[in-house]
Amino acid sequence: MKRWLFIALVLFAAVPVLRAAQVGLIKIDGPIGPATANYVSRALDVAASQNDECLVIQLNTPGGLMGSMNDIISALYASHIPTVMYVAPEGAMAGSAGCYITLAADIAAMAPHTSIGAAHPVELGGGEDEETTNSIMMQKMGNMYAKVIQGIAEKRHRNASWAMSSVSDSAAITAEEALKTNVIDLIATDIPDLLQKINGRSVDGKVLKTAGATVVEIPMALSEEFFQLFWQPEVMMLLTLVAIYGIIAEISHPGAIFPGVAGALAIILLLYMSATLPLNAAGAALIVLAIALFVLDIFAPTHGVLTVGGIIAFFLGLLMLFNREPAGYHLPVTWVIAATLMTAAFFIFFVSKGIRAQFQPKRAGAETMIGQTVSARSRIDTAGGKVFIEGELWNAVSETPVEAGQPVEVTALEGLTLKVKPKTN
């Protein structure tokens, strides 16, 4: 009995040792932004807490924001577990910021027929700079990030010469070329193939045991999914439209309240988002000009000339609004066209009627009697008199005496008494 108890204790103690190896997995498909950086950093902590052999990051991105890219690289360097960047599936790319991130991982892998490169940074600042100034700034950024990617490649013992050319010349290569030129470590057809090929590799003294390992995907948190969607040009464009429609609708239809509140919230969100995705000042100015032209055409007899000018200005403004954003953050032309047509219709059929209505004379209530011409029912002077108007007999006073039957014009209403004056032809 004691012998069997001893064997059971030995087997129980050996269970943790016999546990199958586990690998963490996250998937990045789309532009690199603040939510992506937070996702990678959190996933590294989760994978480390689970004692995973490594964290595999499946990547397919056209690029993204340099600030977020730098955050991801810092997280990869500080990781407590090995990191594997896997550009997949077939046809995927690690463009621009994705190139830096791929080279920064402990192990860089790609699926067949994928691509990497074109890592020259895109300038996000100033909208009114002259061409010469822009060229100088782009050259400075290019020189700086060429050294950044050189340092990354040298740290991971990869082809630093090609890495620099991906910045200076926007060079891009296929997975097969990347493997031949020591840009990546291996090509794998899928995740199981990847785990089989990295099995036995040593990373910072740790030998990976990934063959047949259990793959556990670490999903995005709800907040990360929200902000990943939030930092998109389409969302910013929609917020721009809500801000415009809301504020203008509140002005043209006072007292509605909801449009004004929605517009104010949209403006606040736009200001917050523009700190990460700066808007082109020239594009914003054209949109403001378009709104001014729409409103002016309501009062000016231009037969729609200003409205046509506003439509053109709005279209060009939206095209320019995000034209300095990196790849993946450009606004589709179809969205620009749809937004332009919708905005033109909004001003032509909604705002114009609302503004015109505010300048029309009142058509209900006692005030509608002002300006009307009626006949005096009795003599009217400063002491009083009577007029019959809108089916009712009213008290009336006049500075100039008026005899019964003479026409008078209503000039004002004081309480329940009308002020009138003789009507002259």
Side-chain angles (χ1 to χ4, degrees):
M1 182 67 181
K2 291 183 178 180
R3 192 178 84 176
W4 287 110
L5 181 60
F6 175 76
I7 294 173
L9 290 173
V10 170
L11 290 175
F12 180 77
V15 167
V17 179
L18 297 175
R19 182 180 70 89
Q22 181 173 292
V23 170
L25 171 67
I26 65 173
K27 296 180 179 179
I28 299 173
D29 188 1
I32 302 295
T36 316
N38 187 78
Y39 182 32
V40 172
S41 179
R42 184 178 61 83
L44 286 169
D45 291 338
V46 171
S49 67
Q50 296 175 164
N51 294 317
D52 290 345
E53 287 291 308
C54 62
L55 176 67
V56 176
I57 304 173
Q58 183 172 310
L59 182 68
N60 178 23
T61 179
L65 302 176
M66 288 298 176
S68 301
M69 176 199 79
N70 292 333
D71 291 341
I72 292 175
I73 292 172
S74 297
L76 294 176
Y77 284 172
S79 175
H80 297 296
I81 64 170
T83 55
V84 181
M85 201 66 59
Y86 180 43
V87 182
E90 289 192 16
M93 64 183 297
S96 192
C99 181
Y100 294 80
I101 294 169
T102 301
L103 296 179
D106 292 310
I107 298 175
M110 298 175 70
H113 313 300
T114 53
S115 57
I116 185 172
H120 196 286
V122 178
E123 192 247 334
L124 293 176
E128 302 291 338
D129 295 343
E130 297 180 355
E131 183 177 353
T132 302
T133 304
N134 281 335
S135 299
I136 294 173
M137 290 302 297
M138 289 301 294
Q139 183 179 357
K140 286 183 177 181
M141 291 181 66
N143 292 340
M144 173 60 70
Y145 277 96
K147 291 301 180 183
V148 169
I149 204 167
Q150 179 187 9
I152 293 172
E154 289 176 349
K155 177 178 177 63
R156 299 306 191 194
H157 308 291
R158 299 195 173 103
N159 191 332
S161 176
W162 178 86
M164 294 180 67
S165 70
S166 72
V167 176
S168 59
D169 303 324
S170 294
I173 54 178
T174 64
E176 292 72 19
E177 294 170 327
L179 182 60
K180 291 179 182 178
T181 53
N182 189 35
V183 174
I184 62 172
D185 302 307
L186 58 97
I187 292 177
T189 56
D190 52 27
I191 294 294
D193 185 40
L194 172 68
L195 298 182
Q196 185 64 41
K197 289 182 176 178
I198 65 175
N199 184 58
R201 285 179 178 256
S202 177
V203 177
D204 294 332
K206 177 181 179 179
V207 178
L208 297 179
K209 299 175 182 177
T210 56
T214 302
V215 178
V216 178
E217 186 168 351
I218 303 171
M220 264 193 167
L222 287 177
S223 59
E224 292 163 348
E225 290 181 354
F226 174 75
F227 283 108
Q228 182 74 357
L229 172 67
F230 204 57
W231 263 279
Q232 299 293 330
E234 293 88 350
V235 176
M236 292 190 72
M237 187 204 72
L238 291 176
L239 285 175
T240 301
L241 296 181
V242 170
I244 294 172
Y245 297 169
I247 299 301
I248 296 298
E250 185 65 33
I251 293 173
S252 61
H253 295 74
I257 300 177
F258 176 75
V261 173
L265 288 174
I267 290 175
I268 293 172
L269 290 174
L270 273 174
L271 292 174
Y272 172 61
M273 294 172 67
S274 65
T276 303
L277 295 177
L279 304 179
N280 186 303
L286 280 171
I287 292 175
V288 172
L289 173 63
I291 296 171
L293 292 175
F294 287 138
V295 174
L296 285 174
D297 202 26
I298 297 172
F299 304 99
T302 64
H303 306 290
V305 173
L306 291 181
T307 295
V308 173
I311 292 172
I312 295 173
F314 192 85
F315 177 79
L316 295 176
L318 277 185
L319 278 181
M320 297 174 62
L321 200 60
F322 303 100
N323 71 343
R324 293 195 325 275
E325 305 300 340
Y329 284 93
H330 296 166
L331 190 62
V333 176
T334 52
W335 281 68
V336 175
I337 295 174
T340 302
L341 295 176
M342 186 166 59
T343 300
F346 173 76
F347 277 94
I348 293 171
F349 299 110
F350 181 76
V351 176
S352 60
K353 292 183 178 180
I355 292 178
R356 287 194 182 104
Q358 294 185 51
F359 291 91
Q360 290 179 352
K362 294 182 179 180
R363 298 180 179 178
E367 291 83 357
T368 61
M369 294 185 292
I370 297 174
Q372 292 192 39
T373 300
V374 295
S375 296
R377 281 296 183 95
S378 64
R379 175 182 169 83
I380 305 175
D381 53 24
T382 55
K386 298 290 184 178
V387 295
F388 189 79
I389 183 171
E390 295 190 355
E392 295 180 324
L393 196 64
W394 285 75
N395 294 323
V397 294
S398 175
E399 297 292 334
T400 304
V402 178
E403 298 299 327
Q406 289 186 343
V408 295
E409 180 183 349
V410 179
T411 59
L413 173 66
E414 294 182 353
L416 297 177
T417 302
L418 296 177
K419 293 186 69 174
V420 299
K421 66 179 181 179
K423 179 68 175 180
T424 57
N425 294 331

